[in-house]
Amino acid sequence: MDAESGAIRVVLVDDQELVRAGFAMVLDAQPDIEVVGEAGDGLRALELLRATRADVVLMDVRMPRMDGIEATRRIVAAGEKPKVVILTTFDLDEYAFAAIKAGAGGFLLKDAGPAHLIEAIKAVHSGDAVVAPSTTRRLLDRFAVHLPDAERAAGGALESLTEREGEVLRLVARGMSNAEIAGRLYVSEATVKTHMGRILTKLGLRDRVQAVVFAYETGLVKSGQNGN
């Protein structure tokens, strides 16, 4: 299926050929997803992306020559179109967090089932977070101590938000979904999405995951808080 028919174009980056083959087999079986390239390390991924149009990159973390975090940072810095989904394992949360800080749209466990993998690709392609907000919150709670104190530097940006937008951002950062936020604020999900779009624009953020990181960095939400 080619790009003209609307397929999501995916590039696979992993130093294990069998892993790439497994992902490719699953994804190419989908009528609306097309694997357009593979790379065995971050450096080769950057070369490939300069010659290949892609929508989503599935990026491993630990690879030779250039790791996935540095490759992600360079993709984002170059203003490339593809959204990056970091592939990680339970014992590599530190790398996943660093990748999100580098600009990745989210992260996914390597042992995720086919349905979860497909859902994640479609979610990040549509602009949503790949991981559940509650998972992001737990990750941030664990590593909040490593976040820089950007409260003063970002104070002006926070002041650009309306009271309602600030409230929505706090609830997003505390792990609530759009539906849960809508129920809490007695508004529609469409209204929540509108607020979220304005928040991202005003703060210059790429996606919901970065919005959560921003909320923690600026002290809008403290580690250990939840949506209750």
Side-chain angles (χ1 to χ4, degrees), residues 63-224:
M63 297 180 292
R65 298 209 298 168
M66 181 185 292
D67 65 31
I69 294 172
E70 179 60 24
T72 297
R73 186 178 294 112
R74 295 193 186 191
I75 290 171
V76 173
E80 301 293 343
K81 177 184 177 182
K83 302 289 185 64
V84 179
V85 179
I86 290 295
L87 299 170
T88 185
T89 57
F90 282 112
D91 60 348
L92 289 178
D93 281 348
E94 293 91 342
Y95 293 107
F97 180 76
I100 289 175
K101 290 283 292 176
F107 60 96
L108 184 68
L109 296 177
K110 272 195 173 182
D111 60 358
H116 192 181
L117 176 65
I118 293 165
E119 179 183 358
I121 290 172
K122 292 181 178 180
V124 74
H125 180 251
S126 68
D128 292 332
V130 172
V131 294
S134 57
T135 303
T136 307
R137 188 188 70 240
R138 288 195 301 271
L139 188 68
L140 287 167
D141 281 346
R142 180 177 174 188
F143 297 108
V145 67
H146 301 298
L147 289 170
D149 182 8
E151 186 167 1
R152 292 181 182 177
L158 279 176
E159 290 172 1
S160 71
L161 302 181
T162 65
E163 182 177 351
R164 177 49 62 91
E165 288 166 354
E167 190 173 12
V168 169
L169 179 56
R170 278 191 292 271
L171 296 177
V172 166
R174 291 175 182 176
M176 297 182 71
S177 66
N178 284 348
E180 291 169 335
I181 295 171
R184 172 70 67 88
L185 301 181
Y186 301 103
V187 297
S188 68
E189 283 191 58
T191 297
V192 174
K193 290 180 180 178
T194 297
H195 284 311
M196 198 64 222
R198 290 173 179 166
I199 290 167
L200 296 178
T201 298
K202 287 183 177 181
L203 300 182
L205 303 173
R206 285 165 55 94
D207 52 37
R208 189 185 188 100
V209 176
Q210 284 200 336
V212 175
V213 173
F214 178 90
Y216 275 75
E217 285 182 327
T218 58
L220 187 66
V221 173
K222 305 294 184 182
S223 178

